[in-house]
Amino acid sequence: MTKGKIGRALFYIICSIVILQSAIFIGASSPDERHPAKKVLFIGDSMTGWLAERLNAYGKENGFDVSTIVWDGSTIAKWASSPKLPDIIEQQNPDAVFISLGMNELFEANPGKRLKTPVDKIKTAIGDRPFLWIGPPSWPGHSQGEILNEWLENELGSEEFFRSFDLKLSRQSAKNPHPTRAGMIEWMDSVVNWIPDNAKVALPGIKKPEGVEMSRGKSFIYKRMKETL
């Protein structure tokens, strides 16, 4: 190869490297279009309380607050049928909504037929706000649940659904679906670590709280199974 050809080859290689580095820099420095949530509304069934308290512990470390509404024994359909849900969301005016629902419908064999309309109603109530639906974990001693989780992920989208079904969480007993306090912390930690690279929801930061800290936000509402919102 002549000196001229060698020189041209080196020139093209150098140009290629420069272009590649520029593309990497532009991609890395492009602004994140997500707006970090300063106020989160966390709604759902009995799984919600400790999850929300762990999330609020992250909020204390990273500058956001979590308002919580726990409706014990509630279902997707029950939340969707409540006429107060849109008003609650408007009154709370959160930057983002977290949802923990599905545990009490885990064995549903035909979610597309039975839950499509309720899920759409909840999404309509949330409006344009970013949201994250934390799917239900498995139920010890039972194999059902895959159908519901797959349907929810397909219906909501991978950026708005966290799949909890495969997590190995410590439970309060061999047949109890509710995780222990430590299991809840592990569960919420998994969600928070997943958010930055995967979710539409954004948090101001994910600095981990010390130890097993959990705390309630400024607003924490608990409704029993037979109560209404």
Side-chain angles (χ1 to χ4, degrees):
M1 184 180 289
T2 64
K3 291 183 178 180
K5 290 182 178 179
I6 293 173
R8 285 195 295 274
L10 288 173
F11 174 77
Y12 290 134
I13 291 172
I14 292 171
C15 287
S16 297
I17 292 172
V18 170
I19 292 171
L20 179 61
Q21 289 178 334
S22 298
I24 293 173
F25 174 78
I26 291 172
S29 60
S30 59
D32 190 339
E33 295 181 354
R34 300 176 303 172
H35 298 288
K38 294 288 188 178
K39 183 177 181 181
V40 172
L41 173 62
F42 204 143
I43 64 173
D45 55 30
S46 57
M47 296 288 185
T48 304
W50 276 353
L51 286 176
E53 288 184 22
R54 181 60 173 176
L55 182 60
N56 192 66
Y58 275 92
K60 289 173 64 177
E61 291 287 340
N62 297 280
F64 63 92
D65 184 71
V66 181
S67 297
T68 307
I69 303 177
V70 180
W71 196 359
D72 199 16
S74 62
T75 62
I76 297 169
K78 196 170 182 178
W79 275 91
S81 64
S82 173
K84 293 184 180 180
L85 178 58
D87 293 337
I88 288 172
I89 293 175
E90 287 301 319
Q91 290 168 7
Q92 291 284 340
N93 194 26
D95 300 314
V97 178
F98 279 58
I99 303 161
S100 176
L101 285 171
M103 192 74 243
N104 297 310
E105 289 154 306
L106 187 63
F107 302 157
E108 176 57 61
N110 194 351
K113 180 180 180 180
R114 298 181 181 277
L115 298 178
K116 167 68 175 172
T117 297
V119 167
D120 285 345
K121 285 184 177 180
I122 292 174
K123 289 168 63 178
T124 298
I126 293 171
D128 295 332
R129 297 173 178 85
F131 71 89
L132 178 61
W133 193 302
I134 300 175
S138 62
W139 195 306
H142 297 271
S143 59
Q144 299 99 317
E146 182 68 35
I147 292 174
L148 176 66
N149 275 275
E150 285 190 356
W151 182 80
L152 282 172
E153 185 166 10
N154 289 332
E155 185 69 21
L156 298 168
S158 59
E159 294 179 317
E160 294 173 315
F161 180 78
F162 178 84
R163 181 183 171 94
S164 310
F165 193 65
D166 303 319
L167 295 177
K168 305 300 181 184
L169 304 170
S170 58
R171 309 300 175 108
Q172 295 179 20
S173 71
K175 296 183 179 180
N176 191 333
H178 293 85
T180 61
R181 183 182 178 90
M184 285 290 192
I185 290 172
E186 180 183 354
W187 187 3
M188 196 68 241
D189 287 354
S190 297
V191 174
V192 171
N193 289 331
W194 176 88
I195 286 174
D197 296 328
N198 298 283
K200 286 187 178 179
V201 166
L203 300 173
I206 61 168
K207 181 182 177 183
K208 191 174 182 179
E210 289 188 10
V212 294
E213 182 182 355
M214 301 171 84
S215 66
R216 292 188 176 183
K218 297 175 182 177
S219 175
F220 190 100
I221 298 171
Y222 174 80
K223 294 289 185 178
R224 291 181 174 83
M225 188 180 300
K226 294 182 179 180
E227 291 183 301
T228 60
L229 280 182

mmCIF file of all heavy atoms in Angstrom, residues 86-121:
data_model
loop_
_atom_site.group_PDB
_atom_site.id
_atom_site.type_symbol
_atom_site.label_atom_id
_atom_site.label_comp_id
_atom_site.label_asym_id
_atom_site.label_seq_id
_atom_site.Cartn_x
_atom_site.Cartn_y
_atom_site.Cartn_z
ATOM 1 N N PRO A 86 -61.661 10.501 40.139
ATOM 2 C CA PRO A 86 -61.184 11.686 39.404
ATOM 3 C C PRO A 86 -61.013 12.912 40.290
ATOM 4 O O PRO A 86 -60.046 13.674 40.143
ATOM 5 C CB PRO A 86 -62.269 11.901 38.335
ATOM 6 C CG PRO A 86 -62.912 10.560 38.172
ATOM 7 C CD PRO A 86 -62.895 9.950 39.548
ATOM 8 N N ASP A 87 -61.959 13.099 41.223
ATOM 9 C CA ASP A 87 -61.887 14.261 42.114
ATOM 10 C C ASP A 87 -60.684 14.162 43.052
ATOM 11 O O ASP A 87 -60.025 15.170 43.335
ATOM 12 C CB ASP A 87 -63.176 14.378 42.933
ATOM 13 C CG ASP A 87 -64.382 14.723 42.082
ATOM 14 O OD1 ASP A 87 -64.190 15.292 40.985
ATOM 15 O OD2 ASP A 87 -65.516 14.407 42.491
ATOM 16 N N ILE A 88 -60.428 12.952 43.545
ATOM 17 C CA ILE A 88 -59.280 12.758 44.433
ATOM 18 C C ILE A 88 -57.993 13.127 43.724
ATOM 19 O O ILE A 88 -57.133 13.831 44.278
ATOM 20 C CB ILE A 88 -59.232 11.298 44.924
ATOM 21 C CG1 ILE A 88 -60.359 11.030 45.922
ATOM 22 C CG2 ILE A 88 -57.879 10.982 45.558
ATOM 23 C CD1 ILE A 88 -60.507 9.574 46.300
ATOM 24 N N ILE A 89 -57.850 12.670 42.498
ATOM 25 C CA ILE A 89 -56.625 12.955 41.748
ATOM 26 C C ILE A 89 -56.500 14.452 41.469
ATOM 27 O O ILE A 89 -55.419 15.035 41.591
ATOM 28 C CB ILE A 89 -56.589 12.135 40.448
ATOM 29 C CG1 ILE A 89 -56.445 10.643 40.793
ATOM 30 C CG2 ILE A 89 -55.437 12.578 39.551
ATOM 31 C CD1 ILE A 89 -56.510 9.718 39.600
ATOM 32 N N GLU A 90 -57.602 15.082 41.130
ATOM 33 C CA GLU A 90 -57.563 16.524 40.873
ATOM 34 C C GLU A 90 -57.224 17.297 42.143
ATOM 35 O O GLU A 90 -56.453 18.260 42.121
ATOM 36 C CB GLU A 90 -58.901 16.994 40.302
ATOM 37 C CG GLU A 90 -59.148 16.580 38.866
ATOM 38 C CD GLU A 90 -58.088 17.109 37.910
ATOM 39 O OE1 GLU A 90 -57.679 18.279 38.069
ATOM 40 O OE2 GLU A 90 -57.659 16.358 37.020
ATOM 41 N N GLN A 91 -57.804 16.880 43.263
ATOM 42 C CA GLN A 91 -57.535 17.573 44.533
ATOM 43 C C GLN A 91 -56.093 17.390 44.978
ATOM 44 O O GLN A 91 -55.446 18.334 45.448
ATOM 45 C CB GLN A 91 -58.501 17.061 45.602
ATOM 46 C CG GLN A 91 -59.937 17.485 45.399
ATOM 47 C CD GLN A 91 -60.905 16.723 46.293
ATOM 48 O OE1 GLN A 91 -60.501 15.946 47.166
ATOM 49 N NE2 GLN A 91 -62.213 16.944 46.089
ATOM 50 N N GLN A 92 -55.585 16.187 44.833
ATOM 51 C CA GLN A 92 -54.195 15.922 45.210
ATOM 52 C C GLN A 92 -53.218 16.593 44.244
ATOM 53 O O GLN A 92 -52.135 17.006 44.646
ATOM 54 C CB GLN A 92 -53.940 14.417 45.225
ATOM 55 C CG GLN A 92 -54.651 13.664 46.336
ATOM 56 C CD GLN A 92 -53.981 13.864 47.687
ATOM 57 O OE1 GLN A 92 -52.813 14.241 47.783
ATOM 58 N NE2 GLN A 92 -54.719 13.588 48.757
ATOM 59 N N ASN A 93 -53.608 16.659 42.983
ATOM 60 C CA ASN A 93 -52.793 17.283 41.933
ATOM 61 C C ASN A 93 -51.337 16.798 41.960
ATOM 62 O O ASN A 93 -50.401 17.601 42.059
ATOM 63 C CB ASN A 93 -52.841 18.809 42.074
ATOM 64 C CG ASN A 93 -52.295 19.502 40.825
ATOM 65 O OD1 ASN A 93 -52.319 18.953 39.728
ATOM 66 N ND2 ASN A 93 -51.784 20.714 41.002
ATOM 67 N N PRO A 94 -51.130 15.499 41.875
ATOM 68 C CA PRO A 94 -49.761 14.973 41.937
ATOM 69 C C PRO A 94 -49.010 15.158 40.623
ATOM 70 O O PRO A 94 -49.618 15.328 39.554
ATOM 71 C CB PRO A 94 -49.991 13.483 42.208
ATOM 72 C CG PRO A 94 -51.275 13.197 41.500
ATOM 73 C CD PRO A 94 -52.126 14.427 41.683
ATOM 74 N N ASP A 95 -47.699 15.116 40.701
ATOM 75 C CA ASP A 95 -46.872 15.132 39.491
ATOM 76 C C ASP A 95 -46.838 13.752 38.846
ATOM 77 O O ASP A 95 -46.573 13.624 37.649
ATOM 78 C CB ASP A 95 -45.439 15.559 39.829
ATOM 79 C CG ASP A 95 -45.388 16.941 40.448
ATOM 80 O OD1 ASP A 95 -46.059 17.843 39.915
ATOM 81 O OD2 ASP A 95 -44.690 17.114 41.460
ATOM 82 N N ALA A 96 -47.063 12.714 39.655
ATOM 83 C CA ALA A 96 -47.066 11.344 39.161
ATOM 84 C C ALA A 96 -47.938 10.489 40.070
ATOM 85 O O ALA A 96 -48.121 10.806 41.246
ATOM 86 C CB ALA A 96 -45.645 10.782 39.114
ATOM 87 N N VAL A 97 -48.467 9.415 39.509
ATOM 88 C CA VAL A 97 -49.329 8.508 40.264
ATOM 89 C C VAL A 97 -48.713 7.112 40.256
ATOM 90 O O VAL A 97 -48.320 6.603 39.199
ATOM 91 C CB VAL A 97 -50.750 8.452 39.665
ATOM 92 C CG1 VAL A 97 -51.616 7.466 40.450
ATOM 93 C CG2 VAL A 97 -51.389 9.841 39.667
ATOM 94 N N PHE A 98 -48.617 6.521 41.440
ATOM 95 C CA PHE A 98 -48.201 5.127 41.577
ATOM 96 C C PHE A 98 -49.437 4.309 41.945
ATOM 97 O O PHE A 98 -50.273 4.760 42.730
ATOM 98 C CB PHE A 98 -47.143 4.975 42.674
ATOM 99 C CG PHE A 98 -45.745 5.318 42.244
ATOM 100 C CD1 PHE A 98 -45.437 6.576 41.728
ATOM 101 C CD2 PHE A 98 -44.709 4.399 42.356
ATOM 102 C CE1 PHE A 98 -44.152 6.901 41.340
ATOM 103 C CE2 PHE A 98 -43.416 4.708 41.974
ATOM 104 C CZ PHE A 98 -43.133 5.948 41.463
ATOM 105 N N ILE A 99 -49.527 3.118 41.388
ATOM 106 C CA ILE A 99 -50.693 2.260 41.600
ATOM 107 C C ILE A 99 -50.220 0.867 41.984
ATOM 108 O O ILE A 99 -49.316 0.310 41.353
ATOM 109 C CB ILE A 99 -51.537 2.156 40.314
ATOM 110 C CG1 ILE A 99 -51.986 3.542 39.837
ATOM 111 C CG2 ILE A 99 -52.744 1.239 40.526
ATOM 112 C CD1 ILE A 99 -52.420 3.574 38.393
ATOM 113 N N SER A 100 -50.834 0.306 43.021
ATOM 114 C CA SER A 100 -50.582 -1.091 43.377
ATOM 115 C C SER A 100 -51.925 -1.802 43.440
ATOM 116 O O SER A 100 -52.616 -1.768 44.452
ATOM 117 C CB SER A 100 -49.851 -1.197 44.725
ATOM 118 O OG SER A 100 -49.706 -2.560 45.096
ATOM 119 N N LEU A 101 -52.290 -2.404 42.325
ATOM 120 C CA LEU A 101 -53.572 -3.108 42.222
ATOM 121 C C LEU A 101 -53.404 -4.378 41.401
ATOM 122 O O LEU A 101 -52.538 -4.451 40.528
ATOM 123 C CB LEU A 101 -54.631 -2.218 41.568
ATOM 124 C CG LEU A 101 -55.235 -1.088 42.411
ATOM 125 C CD1 LEU A 101 -56.100 -0.176 41.550
ATOM 126 C CD2 LEU A 101 -56.038 -1.657 43.570
ATOM 127 N N GLY A 102 -54.258 -5.348 41.680
ATOM 128 C CA GLY A 102 -54.230 -6.594 40.926
ATOM 129 C C GLY A 102 -54.112 -7.822 41.805
ATOM 130 O O GLY A 102 -54.417 -8.936 41.374
ATOM 131 N N MET A 103 -53.669 -7.629 43.051
ATOM 132 C CA MET A 103 -53.504 -8.771 43.947
ATOM 133 C C MET A 103 -54.833 -9.498 44.163
ATOM 134 O O MET A 103 -54.880 -10.734 44.199
ATOM 135 C CB MET A 103 -52.955 -8.291 45.295
ATOM 136 C CG MET A 103 -52.461 -9.401 46.204
ATOM 137 S SD MET A 103 -50.885 -10.071 45.630
ATOM 138 C CE MET A 103 -51.327 -11.762 45.263
ATOM 139 N N ASN A 104 -55.905 -8.731 44.286
ATOM 140 C CA ASN A 104 -57.210 -9.332 44.554
ATOM 141 C C ASN A 104 -57.933 -9.776 43.281
ATOM 142 O O ASN A 104 -59.080 -10.225 43.349
ATOM 143 C CB ASN A 104 -58.074 -8.354 45.354
ATOM 144 C CG ASN A 104 -57.466 -8.063 46.721
ATOM 145 O OD1 ASN A 104 -57.106 -8.977 47.457
ATOM 146 N ND2 ASN A 104 -57.309 -6.791 47.057
ATOM 147 N N GLU A 105 -57.265 -9.636 42.146
ATOM 148 C CA GLU A 105 -57.781 -10.145 40.872
ATOM 149 C C GLU A 105 -56.735 -11.023 40.188
ATOM 150 O O GLU A 105 -56.792 -11.260 38.985
ATOM 151 C CB GLU A 105 -58.177 -8.974 39.970
ATOM 152 C CG GLU A 105 -59.420 -8.258 40.465
ATOM 153 C CD GLU A 105 -59.503 -6.799 40.033
ATOM 154 O OE1 GLU A 105 -58.539 -6.059 40.291
ATOM 155 O OE2 GLU A 105 -60.532 -6.404 39.464
ATOM 156 N N LEU A 106 -55.792 -11.516 40.979
ATOM 157 C CA LEU A 106 -54.635 -12.223 40.430
ATOM 158 C C LEU A 106 -55.023 -13.468 39.645
ATOM 159 O O LEU A 106 -54.346 -13.835 38.680
ATOM 160 C CB LEU A 106 -53.682 -12.610 41.570
ATOM 161 C CG LEU A 106 -52.342 -13.217 41.152
ATOM 162 C CD1 LEU A 106 -51.523 -12.219 40.341
ATOM 163 C CD2 LEU A 106 -51.550 -13.660 42.387
ATOM 164 N N PHE A 107 -56.098 -14.115 40.037
ATOM 165 C CA PHE A 107 -56.487 -15.362 39.389
ATOM 166 C C PHE A 107 -57.433 -15.154 38.214
ATOM 167 O O PHE A 107 -57.968 -16.122 37.666
ATOM 168 C CB PHE A 107 -57.140 -16.304 40.401
ATOM 169 C CG PHE A 107 -56.259 -16.639 41.581
ATOM 170 C CD1 PHE A 107 -56.813 -17.064 42.773
ATOM 171 C CD2 PHE A 107 -54.874 -16.512 41.510
ATOM 172 C CE1 PHE A 107 -56.007 -17.387 43.864
ATOM 173 C CE2 PHE A 107 -54.066 -16.817 42.593
ATOM 174 C CZ PHE A 107 -54.625 -17.245 43.770
ATOM 175 N N GLU A 108 -57.660 -13.904 37.828
ATOM 176 C CA GLU A 108 -58.560 -13.598 36.711
ATOM 177 C C GLU A 108 -58.055 -14.256 35.418
ATOM 178 O O GLU A 108 -56.931 -14.009 34.978
ATOM 179 C CB GLU A 108 -58.671 -12.086 36.523
ATOM 180 C CG GLU A 108 -59.502 -11.644 35.336
ATOM 181 C CD GLU A 108 -60.915 -12.200 35.389
ATOM 182 O OE1 GLU A 108 -61.635 -11.880 36.365
ATOM 183 O OE2 GLU A 108 -61.287 -12.935 34.464
ATOM 184 N N ALA A 109 -58.904 -15.081 34.823
ATOM 185 C CA ALA A 109 -58.505 -15.838 33.623
ATOM 186 C C ALA A 109 -58.789 -15.086 32.329
ATOM 187 O O ALA A 109 -58.232 -15.436 31.282
ATOM 188 C CB ALA A 109 -59.230 -17.181 33.602
ATOM 189 N N ASN A 110 -59.627 -14.066 32.395
ATOM 190 C CA ASN A 110 -59.969 -13.320 31.186
ATOM 191 C C ASN A 110 -59.931 -11.817 31.460
ATOM 192 O O ASN A 110 -60.953 -11.138 31.408
ATOM 193 C CB ASN A 110 -61.362 -13.730 30.690
ATOM 194 C CG ASN A 110 -61.629 -13.254 29.276
ATOM 195 O OD1 ASN A 110 -60.852 -12.470 28.704
ATOM 196 N ND2 ASN A 110 -62.717 -13.710 28.696
ATOM 197 N N PRO A 111 -58.753 -11.292 31.764
ATOM 198 C CA PRO A 111 -58.665 -9.865 32.117
ATOM 199 C C PRO A 111 -59.042 -8.936 30.974
ATOM 200 O O PRO A 111 -59.558 -7.844 31.204
ATOM 201 C CB PRO A 111 -57.204 -9.691 32.532
ATOM 202 C CG PRO A 111 -56.477 -10.806 31.865
ATOM 203 C CD PRO A 111 -57.447 -11.950 31.837
ATOM 204 N N GLY A 112 -58.789 -9.364 29.745
ATOM 205 C CA GLY A 112 -59.136 -8.509 28.616
ATOM 206 C C GLY A 112 -60.621 -8.209 28.549
ATOM 207 O O GLY A 112 -61.035 -7.102 28.175
ATOM 208 N N LYS A 113 -61.443 -9.170 28.922
ATOM 209 C CA LYS A 113 -62.890 -8.998 28.900
ATOM 210 C C LYS A 113 -63.388 -8.280 30.142
ATOM 211 O O LYS A 113 -64.257 -7.398 30.058
ATOM 212 C CB LYS A 113 -63.575 -10.361 28.783
ATOM 213 C CG LYS A 113 -65.090 -10.301 28.755
ATOM 214 C CD LYS A 113 -65.685 -11.688 28.628
ATOM 215 C CE LYS A 113 -67.205 -11.641 28.609
ATOM 216 N NZ LYS A 113 -67.807 -13.002 28.485
ATOM 217 N N ARG A 114 -62.830 -8.621 31.292
ATOM 218 C CA ARG A 114 -63.372 -8.127 32.559
ATOM 219 C C ARG A 114 -62.713 -6.843 33.074
ATOM 220 O O ARG A 114 -63.314 -6.116 33.865
ATOM 221 C CB ARG A 114 -63.266 -9.213 33.621
ATOM 222 C CG ARG A 114 -64.070 -10.467 33.299
ATOM 223 C CD ARG A 114 -63.939 -11.500 34.392
ATOM 224 N NE ARG A 114 -64.675 -12.714 34.096
ATOM 225 C CZ ARG A 114 -65.970 -12.906 34.308
ATOM 226 N NH1 ARG A 114 -66.676 -11.927 34.848
ATOM 227 N NH2 ARG A 114 -66.553 -14.038 34.002
ATOM 228 N N LEU A 115 -61.473 -6.590 32.655
ATOM 229 C CA LEU A 115 -60.733 -5.480 33.260
ATOM 230 C C LEU A 115 -60.349 -4.364 32.287
ATOM 231 O O LEU A 115 -59.812 -3.349 32.714
ATOM 232 C CB LEU A 115 -59.467 -6.016 33.940
ATOM 233 C CG LEU A 115 -59.704 -6.997 35.093
ATOM 234 C CD1 LEU A 115 -58.374 -7.497 35.637
ATOM 235 C CD2 LEU A 115 -60.522 -6.346 36.193
ATOM 236 N N LYS A 116 -60.581 -4.550 31.008
ATOM 237 C CA LYS A 116 -60.224 -3.521 30.026
ATOM 238 C C LYS A 116 -60.882 -2.179 30.357
ATOM 239 O O LYS A 116 -60.224 -1.135 30.421
ATOM 240 C CB LYS A 116 -60.624 -4.002 28.628
ATOM 241 C CG LYS A 116 -60.596 -2.931 27.541
ATOM 242 C CD LYS A 116 -59.189 -2.473 27.231
ATOM 243 C CE LYS A 116 -59.221 -1.502 26.055
ATOM 244 N NZ LYS A 116 -57.891 -0.865 25.832
ATOM 245 N N THR A 117 -62.192 -2.203 30.564
ATOM 246 C CA THR A 117 -62.905 -0.957 30.859
ATOM 247 C C THR A 117 -62.469 -0.339 32.187
ATOM 248 O O THR A 117 -62.217 0.873 32.250
ATOM 249 C CB THR A 117 -64.426 -1.192 30.856
ATOM 250 O OG1 THR A 117 -64.824 -1.604 29.544
ATOM 251 C CG2 THR A 117 -65.179 0.082 31.225
ATOM 252 N N PRO A 118 -62.353 -1.114 33.284
ATOM 253 C CA PRO A 118 -61.863 -0.526 34.536
ATOM 254 C C PRO A 118 -60.469 0.099 34.427
ATOM 255 O O PRO A 118 -60.236 1.190 34.955
ATOM 256 C CB PRO A 118 -61.864 -1.715 35.502
ATOM 257 C CG PRO A 118 -62.926 -2.608 34.993
ATOM 258 C CD PRO A 118 -62.853 -2.494 33.499
ATOM 259 N N VAL A 119 -59.552 -0.570 33.749
ATOM 260 C CA VAL A 119 -58.204 -0.014 33.590
ATOM 261 C C VAL A 119 -58.261 1.293 32.800
ATOM 262 O O VAL A 119 -57.599 2.280 33.143
ATOM 263 C CB VAL A 119 -57.259 -1.028 32.913
ATOM 264 C CG1 VAL A 119 -55.971 -0.350 32.452
ATOM 265 C CG2 VAL A 119 -56.929 -2.175 33.865
ATOM 266 N N ASP A 120 -59.070 1.320 31.762
ATOM 267 C CA ASP A 120 -59.209 2.544 30.968
ATOM 268 C C ASP A 120 -59.780 3.684 31.808
ATOM 269 O O ASP A 120 -59.382 4.849 31.656
ATOM 270 C CB ASP A 120 -60.106 2.294 29.757
ATOM 271 C CG ASP A 120 -59.409 1.502 28.660
ATOM 272 O OD1 ASP A 120 -58.165 1.393 28.708
ATOM 273 O OD2 ASP A 120 -60.108 0.999 27.758
ATOM 274 N N LYS A 121 -60.713 3.364 32.698
ATOM 275 C CA LYS A 121 -61.292 4.411 33.556
ATOM 276 C C LYS A 121 -60.251 4.990 34.503
ATOM 277 O O LYS A 121 -60.214 6.204 34.742
ATOM 278 C CB LYS A 121 -62.470 3.833 34.356
ATOM 279 C CG LYS A 121 -63.734 3.627 33.545
ATOM 280 C CD LYS A 121 -64.874 3.134 34.435
ATOM 281 C CE LYS A 121 -66.172 2.982 33.660
ATOM 282 N NZ LYS A 121 -67.276 2.503 34.531
#
